[in-house]
Amino acid sequence: FRWHIKTTGCPSWAAEDRFAPPPLDAWRTWISALASRHSDSIEFWEVWNEPNIGFFKGTVEEYTQVQRVAHDAIKDASPDTIVTSGGYAGMNHHKSKPGAFEAAFLEYPRAYDWFAYHMHDDFPQFYSDVHYQLAAIQQRTGKTDVPIVFTETGYDTRYGQRFQAETLLKKMTYAAAIGAKSYTWYNLMDRAGRDEPNRAGKTFGLITNPTGTGDFASIEDDLRPKESFVAAATAIAQLRRFSPLAIWSENDGIFAFLFGRDDEQLLV
């Protein structure tokens, strides 16, 4: 496992609402303490969860201040830690704040090293978001060289395990092909029980959860890997060995991705 931390939300003594903007002095003190204590173990640090929707109840401008304070505090305490933007929810989310993505890209590299993106959809929508919509915003803001990291992206089994596994392979391969810094699937274990094996929104996991609880110790013997677990294990083992070389696309619907090194190549 490779560790990253995501800092988000406020305790009740700091703000009236959990997702309100934090008092900046308290926020700076808290982040500085964490960064100092864990500088040897944290590889990269995500500043807030999905600040472009209701998980941050302040304005776009207020989040910019939160991001800048966290970036400076982390870098002062642990210069080698990579700071990402907040993990922005998919730009097609109906509650996304106008101008949030533009403001985020304009902050690079002042307030973060990598842009973090969350996207829970099938591959065609994932591809459209990244290849067209995010790219268009980067062009408009003049920030075409922003490194991207996918810190929360998955798909459930509403159409069955095979569709989920194929979606994982497509999304992970595309992320590797465009040079994404990292890719995190959401999540490890289902949140639905045995009677709802394909429940929408609750079956993002790579492993079944026969009781639908988080009591892992009592159900350990009943856990089973899904087809997506095999797909993830295979894709990670192969893709991490190679660098991306070329992408072919026909009508944005059929793709081939070539990876390789001096003595070996991989075609997906």
Side-chain angles (χ1 to χ4, degrees):
F1 288 101
R2 298 165 66 188
W3 294 99
H4 87 274
I5 188 170
K6 178 167 62 181
T7 318
T8 189
C10 294
S12 58
W13 57 262
E16 293 184 358
D17 188 279
R18 176 184 175 190
F19 298 125
L24 293 181
D25 287 343
W27 176 247
R28 182 182 294 105
T29 301
W30 164 242
I31 298 294
S32 296
L34 280 179
S36 297
R37 179 177 297 179
H38 301 291
S39 60
D40 294 335
S41 57
I42 296 172
E43 182 176 358
F44 65 98
W45 194 313
E46 189 172 343
V47 181
W48 213 274
N49 177 57
E50 302 181 353
N52 60 314
I53 60 174
F55 291 112
F56 184 77
K57 301 226 174 139
T59 65
V60 171
E61 293 73 21
E62 286 175 317
Y63 175 69
T64 296
Q65 292 301 312
V66 167
Q67 172 81 52
R68 287 185 173 188
V69 167
H71 171 270
D72 292 349
I74 294 165
K75 291 296 187 179
D76 286 346
S78 180
D80 294 332
T81 297
I82 295 168
V83 179
T84 82
S85 71
Y88 280 71
M91 59 195 325
N92 290 309
H93 196 290
H94 67 286
K95 293 184 179 180
S96 187
K97 298 170 185 173
F101 283 89
E102 288 81 356
F105 282 122
L106 287 170
E107 282 299 296
Y108 176 79
R110 162 66 182 83
Y112 61 87
D113 302 304
W114 298 346
F115 177 75
Y117 196 42
H118 294 182
M119 182 62 177
H120 299 292
D121 216 321
D122 58 19
F123 176 73
Q125 187 63 60
F126 181 76
Y127 171 77
S128 176
D129 263 33
V130 177
H131 186 73
Y132 290 112
Q133 298 185 70
L134 278 179
I137 293 175
Q138 289 182 277
Q139 289 286 346
R140 289 200 301 271
T141 56
K143 301 288 186 174
T144 57
D145 59 344
V146 181
I148 190 169
V149 54
F150 297 104
T151 50
E152 186 184 314
T153 174
Y155 201 75
D156 55 34
T157 58
R158 67 185 68 186
Y159 302 122
Q161 285 199 27
R162 178 55 54 91
F163 188 87
Q164 182 194 41
E166 291 175 347
T167 297
L168 180 151
L169 180 63
K170 292 173 183 178
K171 293 172 77 169
M172 191 175 289
T173 302
Y174 179 69
I178 63 173
K181 295 298 184 180
S182 184
Y183 185 97
T184 302
W185 183 261
Y186 179 90
N187 52 358
L188 180 63
M189 182 176 290
D190 283 348
R191 296 181 181 177
R194 184 180 286 107
D195 297 333
E196 299 177 293
N198 298 318
R199 183 179 175 186
K202 299 292 184 180
T203 53
F204 289 100
L206 304 177
I207 299 173
T208 63
N209 185 344
T211 66
T213 73
D215 183 10
F216 304 152
S218 67
I219 61 174
E220 183 175 357
D221 292 338
D222 295 323
L223 300 178
R224 295 291 181 271
K226 295 159 67 175
E227 292 186 37
S228 55
F229 186 97
V230 181
T234 303
I236 292 169
Q238 294 297 323
L239 292 172
R240 72 187 312 170
R241 298 167 53 221
F242 301 107
S243 299
L245 297 179
I247 300 174
W248 294 276
S249 173
E250 181 178 316
N251 299 324
D252 287 343
I254 300 175
F255 296 86
F257 303 96
L258 182 65
F259 302 86
R261 57 190 185 193
D262 291 342
D263 59 341
E264 193 174 0
Q265 292 185 332
L266 172 69
L267 180 64
V268 184

